[in-house]
């Protein structure tokens, strides 16, 4: 797991999502990254309030968007994929759950910090 801002910035640089950022910008984003490690089978549930933006760094997760009246809609996300962007792009908070399909490293970013 990356342990400092330079290592996190180097990790982010390899992802398509951040390819347009220069070294200074990558370090600024890296300063707000909060690493989250999940073991295989471990879950994370986000209720939509203060929902962070997450990027899958390594591993694979099942992302399930909670919907009223059913079990929700699920997607498999892998390295470079992201979730929790609904607040950034649409101004909407959504509830979802994540289950690691194998050991996974996520970087979480608080929305206010990204703005």
């Amino acid at each position: 797991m990356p342990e400092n801002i330079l290592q996190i910035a180097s990790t982010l640089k390899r992802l398509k999502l951040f390819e347009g950022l220069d070294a200074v910008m990558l370090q600024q984003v890296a300063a707000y990254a909060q690493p989250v490690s999940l073991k295989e089978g471990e879950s994370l549930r986000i209720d939509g309030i203060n929902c962070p933006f997450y990027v899958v760094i390594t591993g694979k997760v099942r992302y399930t968007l909670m919907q009223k009246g059913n079990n929700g809609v699920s997607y498999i996300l892998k390295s470079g994929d992201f979730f929790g962007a609904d607040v950034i792009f649409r101004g909407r908070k959504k509830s979802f759950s994540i289950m690691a399909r194998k050991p996974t490293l996520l970087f979480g970013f608080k929305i206010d910090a990204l703005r």
Side-chain angles (χ1 to χ4, degrees):
M1 177 183 321
E3 296 179 9
N4 63 49
I5 291 174
L6 292 177
Q7 289 175 333
I8 293 171
S10 177
T11 301
L12 293 175
K13 183 178 182 175
R14 295 188 298 250
L15 301 176
K16 187 169 181 69
L17 179 64
F18 299 99
E19 70 183 6
L21 301 182
D22 63 27
V24 171
M25 295 167 105
L26 281 168
Q27 288 181 24
Q28 289 173 332
V29 172
Y32 293 105
Q34 299 175 337
V36 176
S37 292
L38 298 174
K39 297 175 185 167
E40 184 175 342
E42 192 172 3
S43 295
L44 176 67
R45 184 177 168 96
I46 306 295
D47 64 8
I49 300 168
N50 299 319
C51 174
F53 172 76
Y54 286 99
V55 178
V56 180
I57 303 303
T58 61
K60 189 184 288 186
V61 297
R62 182 177 44 148
Y63 166 88
T64 304
L65 180 61
M66 303 301 174
Q67 296 179 339
K68 290 182 180 178
N70 64 33
N71 291 331
V73 177
S74 292
Y75 305 92
I76 299 296
L77 304 177
K78 60 186 181 344
S79 180
D81 291 335
F82 57 90
F83 55 95
D86 298 305
V87 174
I88 296 171
F89 298 130
R90 296 187 183 102
R92 296 184 203 151
K93 298 175 183 174
K94 295 194 175 186
S95 296
F96 57 87
S97 68
I98 297 300
M99 178 179 283
R101 306 275 301 212
K102 57 189 199 177
T104 300
L105 174 62
L106 308 170
F107 284 169
F109 300 90
K110 293 187 177 180
I111 301 301
D112 292 339
L114 289 178
R115 288 187 178 142

